[in-house]
Amino acid sequence: QVQLVESGGGLVQPGGSLRLSCAASGSILSIGRMGWYRQAPGKQRELVARITGSGSTNYADSVKGRFTISRDNAKLTAYLQMNSLKPEDTAVYYCNAVVITTIRADDYWGRGTQVTVSS
């Protein structure tokens, strides 16, 4: 069974940095697109950043220049480096990935990690 597990969230002051990780495990042949989404209280889940298998990236306008998504295909892991954090970045951050197994390709989600930006 495929699992995505996020880590690296926490409480940070405005202007600070955090690095999130998303590790995939299970009977995986390869991973296609990986992405980070977030959901703040009372708001819909929104895309933060995505990266294709070949390394192409795209970002939400609100995080451009502050966040960087990357991946290590050998480790089946994606990262989100978050710098210059703002209170409005507070949310639960979810990892998403298209995972290819011996049976099929499916869209998977992690359970999320809380990021709180507050003084």
Side-chain angles (χ1 to χ4, degrees):
Q1 186 174 355
V2 174
Q3 284 189 319
L4 300 180
V5 178
E6 302 98 335
S7 61
L11 173 63
V12 64
Q13 292 186 341
S17 297
L18 283 175
R19 188 193 195 208
L20 305 184
S21 298
C22 170
S25 63
S27 300
I28 298 172
L29 291 181
S30 65
I31 301 178
R33 183 188 70 246
M34 302 185 80
W36 288 95
Y37 291 73
R38 66 186 181 188
Q39 187 166 18
K43 295 187 177 181
Q44 289 189 334
R45 189 174 297 189
E46 63 175 0
L47 172 68
V48 176
R50 278 191 303 208
I51 185 167
T52 68
S54 59
S56 297
T57 60
N58 66 289
Y59 297 90
D61 288 342
S62 59
V63 306
K64 281 181 182 177
R66 300 188 298 122
F67 290 11
T68 302
I69 188 171
S70 61
R71 62 190 289 166
D72 184 330
N73 291 330
K75 294 183 178 180
L76 302 179
T77 300
Y79 305 95
L80 185 68
Q81 178 66 44
M82 305 186 294
N83 298 328
S84 302
L85 282 160
K86 305 175 181 179
E88 51 263 43
D89 294 318
T90 295
V92 178
Y93 283 70
Y94 297 91
C95 178
N96 169 260
V98 175
V99 177
I100 298 93
T101 67
T102 55
I103 299 174
R104 57 200 282 177
D106 271 323
D107 206 40
Y108 288 87
W109 290 88
R111 293 187 175 184
T113 185
Q114 176 70 46
V115 171
T116 302
V117 184
S118 175
S119 55

